[in-house]
Amino acid sequence: MTDSNLCTRCGKEETIEHMLLTCDYVKTLWAITSNITGIKFDSLGTIVGLNPRHDKTTITITSEVVRQ
């Protein structure tokens, strides 16, 4: 936990979208994961999904990532 709303890796405002998709550090990790799995991680929809067994506010990691 921190008192700042800035990303500790790049210094930009840290939002959920930034943390999961737009931070340059995270982009590098998704590029590596994409090379390994063959899945293109270029949107929040490919990174997270709604768990059909729970209500629509439950976010889970996409089954494609887990399966790989």
Side-chain angles (χ1 to χ4, degrees), residues 16-30:
I16 291 173
E17 183 175 1
H18 175 78
M19 184 174 59
L20 295 175
L21 185 65
T22 61
C23 179
D24 289 336
Y25 178 81
V26 171
K27 285 180 183 179
T28 301
L29 294 176
W30 286 126

Side-chain angles (χ1 to χ4, degrees), residues 33-50:
T33 304
S34 182
N35 286 336
I36 293 168
T37 64
I39 301 168
K40 190 173 181 180
F41 297 100
D42 59 354
S43 71
L44 288 176
T46 57
I47 296 170
V48 298
L50 298 176

